[in-house]
């Protein structure tokens, strides 16, 4: 199932993950997968994959405060810092730095300069 691929295999970590690849793993057509996501999840493929990526990124930012934001973004499957920032901000309403600063009660300004 799609949930199994995401939660157990964590396929969203692959930075170049296509609708076709996921559909093949599920033994359905890309069109069927696209329809399934639209109907059941009310979102497209990229949004669905990014939800998992951001959820894991939030955990990493929380659990490993010393780890760089860039390293977190690559681990969860983003292949550029800008696409990570954009998706993270859209999903959480905060930049990764602000998200982390809010958790640890610090200032995010120093981190922004790095």
């Amino acid at each position: 199932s799609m949930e199994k691929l995401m939660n157990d295999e964590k396929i969203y970590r692959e930075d170049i993950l296509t609708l076709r690849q996921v559909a093949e793993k599920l033994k359905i057509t890309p069109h069927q997968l696209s329809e399934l996501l639209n109907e059941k999840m009310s979102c497209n493929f990229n949004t669905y994959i990014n939800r998992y990526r951001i959820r894991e990124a939030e955990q990493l930012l929380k659990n490993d405060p010393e780890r760089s934001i860039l390293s977190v973004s690559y681990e969860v499957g983003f292949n550029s810092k800008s696409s990570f920032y954009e998706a993270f901000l859209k999903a959480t309403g905060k930049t990764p730095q602000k998200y982390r600063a809010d958790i640890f009660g610090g200032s995010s300004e120093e981190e922004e300069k790095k």
Side-chain angles (χ1 to χ4, degrees), residues 43-86:
C43 67
N44 66 24
F45 179 72
N46 285 341
T47 303
Y48 181 78
I49 296 299
N50 283 350
R51 277 182 195 163
Y52 282 89
R53 289 175 171 169
I54 297 302
R55 198 176 301 158
E56 185 174 4
E58 288 179 272
Q59 292 306 312
L60 292 170
L61 291 168
K62 236 180 260 181
N63 300 338
D64 195 351
E66 298 304 307
R67 186 163 186 183
S68 81
I69 305 271
L70 192 59
S71 154
V72 167
S73 77
Y74 288 143
E75 167 134 357
V76 300
F78 285 95
N79 54 16
S80 85
K81 193 174 177 178
S82 60
S83 61
F84 173 61
Y85 269 68
E86 197 177 304

Side-chain angles (χ1 to χ4, degrees), residues 82-103:
S82 60
S83 61
F84 173 61
Y85 269 68
E86 197 177 304
F88 195 93
L89 187 61
K90 190 175 171 188
T92 66
K94 300 176 180 182
T95 65
Q97 282 90 349
K98 177 86 174 97
Y99 179 85
R100 185 181 257 171
D102 286 351
I103 291 168

Side-chain angles (χ1 to χ4, degrees), residues 10-27:
K10 298 192 186 307
I11 61 167
Y12 57 82
R13 286 180 171 176
E14 295 170 32
D15 63 346
I16 300 173
L17 183 65
T18 65
L19 181 73
R20 180 173 298 283
Q21 288 171 312
V22 176
E24 280 171 10
K25 287 180 188 285
L26 294 169
K27 297 180 175 40

